[in-house]
Amino acid sequence: MDELSRRKMLLAGGALGALGVLGAAAPAHAKTAWTWAPGGSVAGSGAGSDPEWVWDDEADEVLGAVLARGEVPRVNELLRTWTRNDQPLPDGLPRDLRQFMEDARRLPAWADTGKLDTAAQFNKTKGIYVGALYGLGSGLMSTAIPRESRAVYYSKGGADMKDRIAKTAKLGYDVGDLDAFQPRGEMIVTAVKTRMVHAAVRNLLPQSPDWKDTSGGQTIPISQADVLVTWHSLATFVMRKMLEWKVRISPADSEAYLHVWQVTAHMLGVRDEYIPATWAAANAQSKQLLDPVLGPTEEGVKLCEILLDIVAELDAGLTRPLISAFSRYTLGDRIGDWIGLSREPFWKPTIEAVWPLLVAFREGLIPLPLVPEAAWTIEEVIRKVVLLFLSEGRGIHIEIPDANRPS
């Protein structure tokens, strides 16, 4: 995937609005006392409130009014023409929504364009790792996060999972685009639209009896804590795995990669006091937010099956065992068992043996003759999976829902 100049990220795990299928057996959210200090955030200070009980008040109020006035279909039609960061908002938008969007599209004052450019180049040069980890790591990890599954399955998007996956992929490849936050890029547009989708879902899902029956006591979905859970399943998880794989990452690239996700979190409505300022702070927050909520559900298994079925479109399922094995290698056996990944007695030990050699070769640590032929087979399959999801996401319009999933 290194040669691709654009659309680097594949299916970004639910990328903030994640995927899933829910049933009554889903476990309750594992709650621990909030101890992460706001001094470790990009803001450097804050109230220290538990993000479990914080949402996005400004967006929620405006989208609630748009829903109440029955304006969603007209707004969606107008927003189809708004695709680039430098475009003015379309004429005809409701006044309150326009004002919100004008404010929401502004980058934070602490955004560093130099770091954003460095991050774009990093995503290009390390694309094979980033793509594999987003798609076959984070993407399938989302099926082991019950709240993400609940929020999507009972929302309007849950009725067409393939379309939902394509829309989720858009945020993933936009954040990795060389022009992501540049005037000619699309990431600001995508982030603002995604933030509005989240706000609409927060207004709508509490009206769903099915969601309330299986929400584990949560009364409003997609809290700041929930968004951060997904953030860590992407940014923090991917950086941690690349370091485990011994990918060469300079301090400047590491800082830049964190920065692009810091800016993304802000643009999605996360308060600055919750956005980690360093990787050490991110890892500490991830241990408190992400690790405790991972778990098995019947619905997660179903979603994993849907995702693997889409991958099977590549070749009628011939490489599905390899994909399952690579995901199990990336996520570990515990999560692999939770989401129903098959155990592959040939491919899993093969991947465990040859993938580190392929990484070492790509990082200039060993010569080509030491890389087994099987490594190139694995790499080629991963490239095809990445391209499959990228093609699914092209031309997709992120739209505000105006109803929940039909019963």
Side-chain angles (χ1 to χ4, degrees):
M1 194 168 73
D2 298 351
E3 70 273 20
L4 297 175
S5 63
R6 184 170 164 80
R7 311 310 197 197
K8 282 292 182 243
M9 314 282 184
L10 102 104
L11 182 61
L16 306 150
L19 311 170
V21 182
L22 173 69
H29 187 78
K31 185 71 177 71
T32 59
W34 177 248
T35 59
W36 193 83
S41 71
V42 296
S45 62
S49 304
D50 188 341
E52 173 81 357
W53 307 107
V54 180
W55 290 270
D56 188 352
D57 295 342
E58 184 181 7
D60 295 349
E61 180 179 354
V62 172
L63 268 296
V66 171
L67 284 162
R69 296 192 299 257
E71 295 172 328
V72 169
R74 180 168 65 90
V75 166
N76 281 333
E77 186 63 30
L78 291 171
L79 290 181
R80 279 178 166 261
T81 65
W82 188 53
T83 58
R84 280 177 42 137
N85 298 337
D86 60 355
Q87 281 181 287
L89 294 178
D91 293 333
L93 290 173
R95 181 180 301 177
D96 53 354
L97 182 64
R98 171 180 289 276
Q99 183 58 56
F100 166 77
M101 293 177 66
E102 290 290 8
D103 292 340
R105 70 187 298 186
R106 297 192 185 100
L107 291 177
W110 46 263
D112 185 319
T113 56
K115 290 180 181 179
L116 294 176
D117 290 342
T118 299
Q121 291 300 324
F122 174 77
N123 282 322
K124 179 181 179 181
T125 58
K126 303 299 183 181
I128 185 64
Y129 314 124
V130 173
L133 287 168
Y134 277 134
L136 302 178
S138 302
L140 290 180
M141 184 194 293
S142 70
T143 68
I145 304 175
R147 276 193 177 175
E148 296 193 17
S149 301
R150 280 192 287 266
V152 169
Y153 183 72
Y154 286 116
S155 66
K156 190 174 183 179
D160 185 346
M161 291 306 301
K162 188 170 183 179
D163 178 72
R164 178 63 186 179
I165 288 167
K167 289 177 179 177
T168 301
K170 180 167 177 56
L171 188 144
Y173 63 62
D174 281 348
V175 76
D177 184 21
L178 287 173
D179 298 325
F181 291 100
Q182 296 291 334
R184 60 184 175 273
E186 300 181 10
M187 184 56 198
I188 293 174
V189 173
T190 295
V192 172
K193 288 183 178 180
T194 301
R195 184 179 175 185
M196 293 192 298
V197 169
H198 288 171
V201 169
R202 278 189 290 267
N203 276 277
L204 290 166
L205 268 189
Q207 304 169 28
S208 166
D210 294 326
W211 179 79
K212 287 194 290 187
D213 288 345
T214 53
S215 66
Q218 189 180 37
T219 57
I220 304 174
I222 318 179
S223 68
Q224 298 264 297
D226 294 327
V227 177
L228 287 164
V229 164
T230 302
W231 189 91
H232 286 296
S233 76
L234 294 160
T236 310
F237 168 77
V238 169
M239 178 55 69
R240 184 171 68 245
K241 292 302 295 187
M242 285 195 290
L243 293 176
E244 288 178 10
W245 287 353
K246 297 182 172 57
V247 176
R248 286 183 169 180
I249 304 173
S250 71
D253 284 343
S254 176
E255 187 175 353
Y257 181 73
L258 174 61
H259 190 67
V260 77
W261 278 105
Q262 290 169 332
V263 173
T264 298
H266 176 95
M267 299 302 290
L268 288 165
V270 176
R271 294 185 182 181
D272 286 358
E273 69 172 277
Y274 297 129
I275 302 174
T278 65
W279 282 119
N283 284 314
Q285 191 184 85
S286 180
K287 288 179 181 178
Q288 182 164 10
L289 285 178
L290 175 62
D291 295 358
V293 305
L294 294 171
T297 66
E298 178 183 348
E299 296 70 33
V301 173
K302 292 177 182 178
L303 175 57
C304 181
E305 188 71 14
I306 291 171
L307 295 174
L308 292 176
D309 283 346
I310 293 173
V311 173
E313 295 177 8
L314 281 171
D315 53 15
L318 292 177
T319 56
R320 178 166 170 164
L322 188 156
I323 295 301
S324 296
F326 190 87
S327 294
R328 185 178 278 273
Y329 167 71
T330 302
L331 295 172
D333 283 330
R334 184 179 67 157
I335 293 178
D337 288 342
W338 284 347
I339 63 178
L341 290 174
S342 59
R343 289 183 173 268
E344 300 295 336
F346 171 77
W347 278 116
K348 187 167 184 289
T350 300
I351 291 169
E352 290 172 347
V354 306
W355 183 255
L357 297 176
L358 179 61
V359 173
F361 167 71
R362 285 192 160 277
E363 297 305 303
L365 301 177
I366 63 173
L368 179 61
L370 295 182
V371 182
E373 187 66 28
W376 307 112
T377 300
I378 294 167
E379 183 184 53
E380 182 60 24
V381 170
I382 290 172
R383 288 178 186 276
K384 289 181 178 178
V385 171
V386 171
L387 291 172
L388 169 70
F389 281 105
L390 296 185
S391 65
E392 291 291 341
R394 290 194 180 99
I396 284 293
H397 295 280
I398 296 174
E399 297 190 333
I400 300 166
D402 57 0
N404 292 315
R405 178 184 178 131
S407 297

